[in-house]
Amino acid sequence: MTTTSAANANAKTTVTGERADLLVALEKQRHFLRFTTRDLTDEQAGARSTVSELCLGGLIKHVTSVERLWANFIVEGPSAMPDFTAWTEADFARRADEFRMLPGETLAAVLAEYAEAALRTDELVATLADLSATQPLPKAPWFEADAEWSARRVLMHIVAETAQHAGHADIIREALDGAKSMG
């Protein structure tokens, strides 16, 4: 399989094999997530349509943040991430803001931030010397102690996270106005 992603098209780099597969899988999930926001106003993108606190704009903000964080982790290791075991209530409140559209935020700006994060990740996939290179995971109650993840595993995690939230977004959109991503 061969692909030229938007990110590496600028660098005139053709990505093949496993890297192309990762980029295709990631772009497919990104597309489904972005597609849930088609033809929406900023107000609709920030609306809660279920009992959940989630909204479409907030989901995209969250996936953007997660993708950036994990891309930084691939390059910088655990220092790119916070020590989650030391988080305060204020830290958790700031994280909760990732899941909603805040006053003054627009869907166009949220999507532009997402495109920027995607571009950086795609460049990383295209140029990283070794997908098998590992980094120790940061301290967090949800990570196994002393575990390490390869760049490959981190990228698969980004694909899975994006897919999971694209599914959430599809439900939210259908509850908003009946529109579906598929079917």
Side-chain angles (χ1 to χ4, degrees):
M1 176 176 282
T2 302
T3 188
T4 304
S5 71
N8 60 43
N10 294 334
K12 304 287 187 218
T13 303
T14 300
V15 179
T16 60
E18 177 184 22
R19 292 169 193 260
D21 291 344
L22 285 167
L23 289 173
V24 167
L26 188 50
E27 182 50 36
K28 181 177 184 178
Q29 298 312 316
R30 288 175 181 150
H31 164 76
F32 283 128
L33 180 57
R34 289 187 312 262
F35 190 64
T36 62
T37 67
R38 69 196 179 283
D39 304 322
L40 293 181
T41 65
D42 294 337
E43 182 178 272
Q44 289 170 311
R48 293 176 40 211
S49 63
T50 68
V51 296
S52 168
E53 291 290 326
L54 300 176
C55 68
L56 294 173
L59 278 173
I60 293 172
K61 283 175 54 178
H62 171 68
V63 171
T64 300
S65 174
V66 166
E67 188 163 326
R68 280 187 175 140
L69 192 66
W70 282 109
N72 289 341
F73 171 81
I74 289 171
V75 176
E76 301 168 26
S79 66
M81 294 186 153
D83 175 353
F84 295 103
T85 62
W87 267 26
T88 65
E89 289 298 319
D91 294 321
F92 283 106
R94 275 191 300 280
R95 177 138 191 265
D97 284 344
E98 282 182 8
F99 291 95
R100 54 183 161 258
M101 297 270 294
L102 300 176
E105 291 181 329
T106 66
L107 178 57
V110 167
L111 289 168
E113 287 287 317
Y114 188 39
E116 196 175 289
L119 184 67
R120 177 166 185 266
T121 303
D122 289 354
E123 289 172 350
L124 185 60
V125 171
T127 62
L128 193 64
D130 182 5
L131 293 177
S132 297
T134 63
Q135 298 280 9
L137 289 174
K139 291 181 182 178
W142 48 86
F143 290 137
E144 180 182 330
D146 301 319
E148 293 186 349
W149 279 13
S150 68
R152 178 182 298 102
R153 184 166 178 185
V154 170
L155 293 165
M156 290 187 311
H157 177 73
I158 293 170
V159 171
E161 178 96 5
T162 305
Q164 178 180 11
H165 290 310
H168 294 146
D170 197 35
I171 291 167
I172 292 168
R173 177 62 191 260
E174 189 172 355
L176 272 177
D177 63 5
K180 299 177 185 178
S181 294
M182 295 177 65

